[in-house]
Amino acid sequence: MSFTIHGIGVSGGIAIGRAHLLTHTQLEVEHYDIAEADVEQEKERFDHAILTARAELAALAEHIPENAPPEFEGFLNLHLMILGDSTLSETPKALIETQRCNAEWALTQQTEELLAQFDRMEDAYLRERKVDVMQVVERVLKALMGKPRTIPAPRHPEEDSILVAHDLSPADVILFKQHRFASFVTDLGGVTSHTAILARSLGIPSIVALHHARQLIHENELLIVDGTNGVVIVNPDANVLAEFHLRQEQWQLEREKLKRLKTTRAATLDGTRIELHANIELPEDVEQARANAAAGIGLFRSEFLFLNRDEFPGEDEQFEAYRRVATAMAPLPVTIRTLDLGADKTWKGATERFSPNPALGLRAIRLCLAEPRMFHAQLRAILRASHYGKLRILVPMLSTAHELNQTLHLLDEARRSLDADGIAYDREIPVGGMIEVPAAALSLATFTRRLDFLSIGTNDLIQYTLAIDRTDDSVAHLYDPLHPAVLELVAQVIRGGHKAGKPVAVCGEMAGDVRLTRLLLGLGLRQFSMHPAQLLSIKQQILRTDLGEATQIASRMLRSDDPERLLSLLERMNA
Ligand code: PEP
Ligand code: MG
């Protein structure tokens, strides 16, 4: 039977392929039969994993740091309680016996059942505890399997595979860079979640917030993913399939045509030059940035080097990664953002440090200042790499003068330690700050005084201004770049930065949204940084822009607080 599911399209284009389902739990689990004679042994293996998980939690409980928040102990107790519940610690053993399946599979089956029960709960607090169940199950699975999560390779590599998941973390999506999927769709997620951002950087059509896709879609079913309109068509009939094959060809043709703009300078109709930079997550992304003629790297999200691993990369490994990007882009500038771990980009210490509100917790520069040794290694690595190209340092999530002072102080320390070791680095390396917390936007002079450049992180600026969790699909409809408060803050930062003689870029998703290009130009923006796949479409829009008109309409938009009028002015601007 054919049917459609609607979600939020986060990366445009059309994919046609077979569904490949990912289980709820974070670990991809094998399923195999076991002989009757091995049932007891398999049950023992399961018991042993439960004991290991319990011992791990008990060890954590014994070493609670003095300054840990009171919730931390409660969180550990909750996990111990979940682990002790017979639905998790006993029922899977019954499944091993009746289904003669391996322990991992039995546990996964039971978890799916449990999670479905959670989904039906009316009480929001209890529903939320689903996450804890998943974390406990993962702990047991890890004990059973002894390895971290991997995203499985597409089962039918000869045809397009579409990954259907309940949720994916940024750490999962980064694994896609190894296995090519034609697209992915998820039940959860917001428009500017890092998962969505990665989908854009991979240039594959993707949809989030589909709610029940993983339940409704079966393995191997034929799917059409229309990432532009946020629609999944399951089991399309022949006519629909033919229509979408045609649309897919047209989309690809458009992309091909855009390539002609590669060597064209980005400038508005009156000849005003605009700088278009690329956002990257891993050193190998440089290739795509170059292929789309980026004028530099405006944002290297260095934290992605730190995901999916047990040990953090040391100074030397980081140095190699940064040097690789610096030399590949030289003489063009490369902006390395210092670690922005935390919130949805979890790090290995995250489970030990419970954060009730991770986006407002120990994230980005706050985490780096709390872990000065880790930060010192990164600063040294960046400085060392600066000798091989044109590097710039960008500090995320600054909100106070104190954080800025401490950061600059640690940078001086890193410089001094390199001097003592006789290692060369660029003494003039520019240091910039991300303006993505409203407090920073509203006290801009604190930052313009001591920094060389600014980059507006609109993804977080919107999240924090509107109090909307960017990863939460239930409030995704409220995430609005056109909210008057957001427009005012963006305009203020551009104006204030320029007035202080400091270059200002936007590196959030607004910079890669063609609908908003003219608005940003009208607000005075001259530097954009975005995922490379978007660069040429934005350039095309810039080439067709009358800057005078865009400026005039933008200032009218700043004076309006009526959402409908704002939309109609935007439409007029884009006509
Ligand atoms: C932003 O917040 O807009 C930004 C560019 O940083 P990130 O999306 O990595 O938080
Ligand atoms: Mg940010």
Side-chain angles (χ1 to χ4, degrees):
M1 190 189 63
S2 175
F3 59 96
T4 52
I5 319 175
H6 294 259
I8 303 174
V10 291
S11 180
I14 287 161
I16 300 171
R18 299 267 163 199
H20 180 38
L21 301 197
L22 199 65
T23 48
H24 262 109
T25 51
Q26 293 285 310
L27 293 152
E28 186 60 16
V29 162
E30 276 189 304
H31 179 195
Y32 52 87
D33 297 334
I34 51 166
E36 190 170 357
D38 295 333
V39 165
E40 280 313 307
Q41 200 187 337
E42 195 62 10
K43 280 160 64 182
E44 273 171 33
R45 198 165 73 84
F46 178 77
D47 277 338
H48 187 70
I50 294 276
L51 285 178
T52 309
R54 188 169 297 143
E56 284 174 10
L57 287 171
L60 282 174
E62 256 182 38
H63 298 104
I64 297 180
E66 268 178 29
N67 57 356
E71 298 87 345
F72 186 64
E73 197 176 349
F75 154 80
L76 285 178
N77 287 336
L78 176 65
H79 279 208
L80 276 165
M81 214 172 77
I82 294 172
L83 193 59
D85 196 291
S86 64
T87 50
L88 265 192
S89 59
E90 294 298 325
T91 314
K93 286 194 283 185
L95 292 176
I96 295 176
E97 218 167 273
T98 52
Q99 296 190 7
R100 298 247 197 86
C101 61
N102 56 316
E104 292 89 343
W105 188 252
L107 177 58
T108 312
Q109 294 307 295
Q110 176 61 6
T111 310
E112 299 282 312
E113 177 61 38
L114 264 177
L115 295 182
Q117 287 176 21
F118 270 87
D119 276 335
R120 290 194 290 271
M121 285 179 183
E122 302 242 315
D123 184 308
Y125 176 78
L126 285 178
R127 245 191 349 257
E128 294 266 303
R129 300 288 60 81
K130 202 167 119 175
V131 177
D132 294 289
V133 174
M134 274 152 68
Q135 285 170 349
V136 170
V137 167
E138 264 175 34
R139 201 175 271 284
V140 181
L141 282 174
K142 273 183 191 153
L144 279 168
M145 297 155 70
K147 58 178 191 215
R149 180 178 194 172
T150 53
I151 294 279
R155 294 214 176 104
H156 312 283
E158 68 285 357
E159 58 183 68
D160 281 345
S161 265
I162 294 167
L163 197 72
V164 181
H166 185 62
D167 194 14
L168 289 170
S169 73
D172 298 329
V173 182
I174 207 86
L175 295 171
F176 285 18
K177 300 208 175 189
Q178 294 149 18
H179 304 310
R180 292 302 295 179
F181 280 93
S183 159
F184 74 77
V185 298
T186 62
D187 289 342
L188 305 184
V191 195
T192 62
S193 61
H194 285 95
T195 308
I197 290 173
L198 282 167
R200 277 175 226 131
S201 85
L202 294 173
I204 56 175
S206 299
I207 303 177
V208 298
L210 285 159
H211 302 298
H212 301 295
R214 221 192 54 91
Q215 267 171 299
L216 297 172
I217 297 172
H218 295 102
E219 182 72 25
N220 225 23
E221 270 181 326
L222 186 63
L223 305 181
I224 296 174
V225 176
D226 178 348
T228 314
N229 295 306
V231 179
V232 181
I233 306 172
V234 186
N235 289 323
D237 65 30
N239 285 340
V240 173
L241 196 60
E243 160 75 19
F244 274 88
H245 271 299
L246 206 69
R247 287 203 212 170
Q248 191 179 32
E249 274 167 33
Q250 276 163 352
W251 170 271
Q252 274 152 4
L253 214 65
E254 290 291 320
R255 309 282 319 164
E256 279 305 309
K257 269 204 254 165
L258 277 176
K259 287 188 184 159
R260 290 190 211 137
L261 296 181
K262 222 184 117 174
T263 52
T264 311
R265 287 164 140 217
T268 50
L269 286 170
D270 65 342
T272 303
R273 294 289 303 277
I274 308 296
E275 274 184 55
L276 298 182
H277 290 232
N279 292 353
I280 63 168
E281 277 81 37
L282 292 173
E284 49 267 36
D285 299 340
V286 160
E287 230 172 89
Q288 224 201 336
R290 292 196 69 96
N292 289 285
I297 303 295
L299 174 66
F300 176 3
R301 291 185 162 100
S302 70
E303 60 277 5
F304 280 86
L305 294 172
F306 287 64
L307 301 183
N308 293 319
R309 47 193 297 166
D310 290 332
E311 290 303 322
F312 280 165
E315 179 187 316
D316 287 343
E317 186 183 338
Q318 287 186 62
F319 160 65
E320 286 303 339
Y322 305 148
R323 182 173 66 164
R324 194 171 143 199
V325 180
T327 44
M329 289 302 292
L332 301 173
V334 172
T335 313
I336 301 185
R337 175 171 74 185
T338 57
L339 278 177
D340 185 1
L341 282 177
D344 58 340
K345 287 171 288 193
T346 47
W347 56 296
K348 72 184 173 89
T351 44
E352 280 80 27
R353 290 184 196 241
F354 177 74
S355 175
N357 233 327
L360 302 180
L362 199 62
R363 184 192 155 183
I365 190 61
R366 302 171 180 180
L367 174 64
C368 288
L369 295 176
E371 298 279 348
R373 276 179 44 195
M374 178 179 84
F375 197 29
H376 182 70
Q378 177 168 49
L379 293 174
R380 270 182 60 107
I382 299 175
L383 286 173
R384 281 168 62 189
S386 69
H387 183 60
Y388 299 88
K390 197 169 163 195
L391 289 194
R392 312 195 308 164
I393 296 176
L394 179 61
V395 187
M397 221 187 155
L398 286 167
S399 58
T400 66
H402 186 60
E403 282 165 349
L404 177 59
N405 293 343
Q406 263 186 299
T407 304
L408 296 176
H409 173 74
L410 290 176
L411 188 60
D412 274 341
E413 240 175 48
R415 286 192 180 104
R416 278 199 296 277
S417 75
L418 289 177
D419 287 339
D421 295 343
I423 297 174
Y425 62 92
D426 175 7
R427 290 180 178 277
E428 305 298 321
I429 189 166
V431 181
M434 295 220 25
I435 303 298
E436 51 185 348
V437 178
L442 293 168
S443 54
L444 202 67
T446 308
F447 303 95
T448 49
R449 252 197 301 278
R450 305 196 59 195
L451 289 168
D452 301 309
F453 65 96
L454 304 178
S455 194
I456 310 177
T458 48
N459 306 336
D460 278 314
L461 188 63
I462 297 171
Q463 155 164 272
Y464 295 129
T465 305
L466 304 183
I468 286 162
D469 183 339
R470 59 194 269 201
T471 65
D472 185 347
D473 60 295
S474 65
V475 285
H477 60 290
L478 300 172
Y479 193 94
D480 181 14
L482 291 184
H483 189 291
V486 173
L487 292 184
E488 184 53 42
L489 284 177
V490 172
Q492 269 188 36
V493 176
I494 297 173
R495 213 183 303 126
H498 288 165
K499 211 163 145 197
K502 306 290 159 99
V504 182
V506 167
C507 63
E509 295 303 287
M510 277 180 83
D513 185 341
V514 178
R515 259 176 8 119
L516 303 176
T517 306
R518 288 187 177 154
L519 170 60
L520 290 171
L521 288 168
L523 294 178
L525 191 75
R526 300 294 177 261
Q527 285 185 20
F528 294 63
S529 192
M530 67 208 76
H531 40 286
Q534 230 12 53
L535 264 158
L536 296 177
S537 316
I538 298 291
K539 192 191 277 189
Q540 185 178 51
Q541 182 75 340
I542 289 170
L543 291 167
R544 297 169 175 169
T545 296
D546 176 333
L547 192 55
E549 186 185 289
T551 310
Q552 206 184 46
I553 302 181
S555 67
R556 282 164 70 187
M557 288 179 75
L558 282 180
R559 288 196 298 272
S560 173
D561 57 8
D562 171 5
E564 274 174 26
R565 176 157 168 77
L566 280 165
L567 268 180
S568 82
L569 284 169
L570 186 73
E571 266 169 35
R572 188 173 329 157
M573 191 185 254
N574 286 331

